[in-house]
Amino acid sequence: MTMPPRYDDLPRPAGDPTGLPLSWGAWGPDDQVGTLNRITAATVAAAREEIRDGRRFNLNLPLDEPFGAALPGAHRRRDAPHPVMVAEEHPGRVTRDDRLDGFWLQASTQWDGLSHFADPTHGFYNHAPLASIVHGADSRNGIDKALAHGIAGRCVMADLARHFARTGRDWGPMGGRRATAEDLAACLAADGVALRPGDILLVRTGWLAAFRAAPDVAARHLLLQGEGGARDYSGLDGAEPMWRFLWDAGIAAVAADNPTVEAWPIFPWKPALHLAIARLGLCLGEFFDLEALAEDSAQTGRRTAFFAASPLHLRGGIGSPGNAMAIR
């Protein structure tokens, strides 16, 4: 694997309205998986040491959560899928089949593919033209490329909700509160864990716990829509110090328990982790169920585990259900 430059050595195109760097070409002109290149045979093999007693943790929400647990219109277009069961009963043969109608691939636990978010000036990651973002074998940056590369290795839990609770920091799942790179580093240091290249960073903001603790469907809807539709989720700060921190730490992917990983809303021409999908090839995962793993981390003091995920093999897919688990 080509070793990428340090963050501050990445090129910054002249006249770019954001002033932000581009990692395009860091892993070659034909690369289509971005920061997942940090996952190598060596990092995966080293992560096998995380499996000690074979305990397994599902990290996926039910496909009808969260949108099926809120009022209609919680998202401007996405909704929970509708399962349809097909029954056949004949003499000597009884079967059942099923399908999902209205199945949005990013309406529950999900990966954002590198074709999900483009830079408004430069386009999709690594010079992929808009016309190349299609379904099929000729696609660029599709989620099938992430599947072919493989998402596996050591994961590290950053339980920001617990960290802020014990340090007295004002924090909640809504209100657009921002956890800076310094906050993230302090959380990891307090838990005694150091990041390694190829790690999958799991960030617990507490959003999912609040969603599940909400007393009724209207309260859950509010956690998706925000007051007056503001969608002001708390999360990681998407400013440039976070870009530098994640890049120089060698993070392969960041997955969180909230709707957007980063604090929301984001603004045009301003740094955001979603913009880093295009500019850095950053792999993001949203709506991950980290509750059981985080509780186990709190009880045992272990913040790491073996992680594996298999996105759908949809050629040119923009995103995919997470299909993820952690093993200790």
Side-chain angles (χ1 to χ4, degrees), residues 71-294:
L71 297 171
H75 190 276
R76 64 187 183 276
R77 57 174 173 263
R78 298 173 190 163
D79 199 358
H82 304 284
V84 177
M85 188 172 293
V86 179
E88 283 192 69
E89 298 184 8
H90 308 282
R93 179 168 60 87
V94 176
T95 65
R96 297 291 185 271
D97 203 351
D98 55 4
R99 69 173 188 269
L100 290 175
D101 290 349
F103 183 22
W104 291 90
L105 303 186
Q106 293 172 276
S108 185
T109 302
Q110 65 188 261
W111 293 110
D112 286 348
L114 297 187
S115 53
H116 177 52
F117 211 92
D119 181 271
T121 300
H122 302 285
F124 288 96
Y125 173 70
N126 215 19
H127 302 285
L130 270 61
S132 72
I133 307 305
V134 296
H135 287 135
D138 295 331
S139 66
R140 284 281 300 275
N141 294 347
I143 201 66
D144 52 313
K145 308 305 191 298
L147 172 67
H149 181 80
I151 305 178
R154 190 179 82 143
C155 64
V156 175
M157 171 66 67
D159 192 340
L160 292 176
R162 280 185 170 86
H163 174 69
F164 289 148
R166 67 181 176 241
T167 59
R169 164 77 175 272
D170 178 36
W171 185 258
M174 305 296 282
R177 297 170 175 87
R178 296 176 178 271
T180 65
E182 291 78 9
D183 293 328
L184 182 55
C187 175
L188 295 169
D191 288 334
V193 62
L195 296 172
R196 302 174 186 167
D199 280 348
I200 295 97
L201 181 63
L202 305 180
V203 179
R204 180 177 178 267
T205 68
W207 184 91
L208 179 60
F211 184 83
R212 288 179 166 171
D216 53 38
V217 68
R220 291 192 294 271
H221 191 81
L222 190 63
L223 282 162
L224 283 165
Q225 281 283 293
E227 292 283 354
R231 299 181 68 217
D232 56 344
Y233 313 122
S234 298
L236 295 182
D237 188 351
E240 193 168 6
M242 185 65 73
W243 289 38
R244 181 179 291 105
F245 177 84
L246 297 174
W247 181 268
D248 285 345
I251 295 301
V254 184
D257 64 335
N258 68 349
T260 53
V261 180
E262 63 185 323
W264 205 263
I266 62 175
F267 302 97
W269 312 111
K270 300 296 183 182
L273 295 185
H274 281 71
L275 185 59
I277 293 174
R279 297 187 73 104
L280 297 184
L282 181 62
C283 180
L284 294 180
E286 298 157 341
F287 286 135
F288 272 61
D289 185 353
L290 305 179
E291 292 306 293
L293 185 64

Side-chain angles (χ1 to χ4, degrees), residues 284-326:
L284 294 180
E286 298 157 341
F287 286 135
F288 272 61
D289 185 353
L290 305 179
E291 292 306 293
L293 185 64
E295 179 63 25
D296 188 74
S297 294
Q299 294 296 321
T300 64
R302 286 194 63 193
R303 310 296 170 180
T304 58
F306 187 88
F307 177 98
S310 294
L312 293 181
H313 200 164
L314 174 63
R315 291 183 291 184
I318 304 301
S320 170
N323 294 340
M325 69 183 305

Side-chain angles (χ1 to χ4, degrees), residues 1-12 21-28 35 38 125 243-244 246-250 280:
M1 181 190 74
T2 302
M3 293 301 295
R6 300 287 292 177
Y7 182 83
D8 287 337
D9 293 330
L10 291 172
R12 298 176 185 252
L22 286 175
S23 72
W24 299 4
W27 286 287
T35 57
R38 309 278 194 176
Y125 173 70
W243 289 38
R244 181 179 291 105
L246 297 174
W247 181 268
D248 285 345
L280 297 184

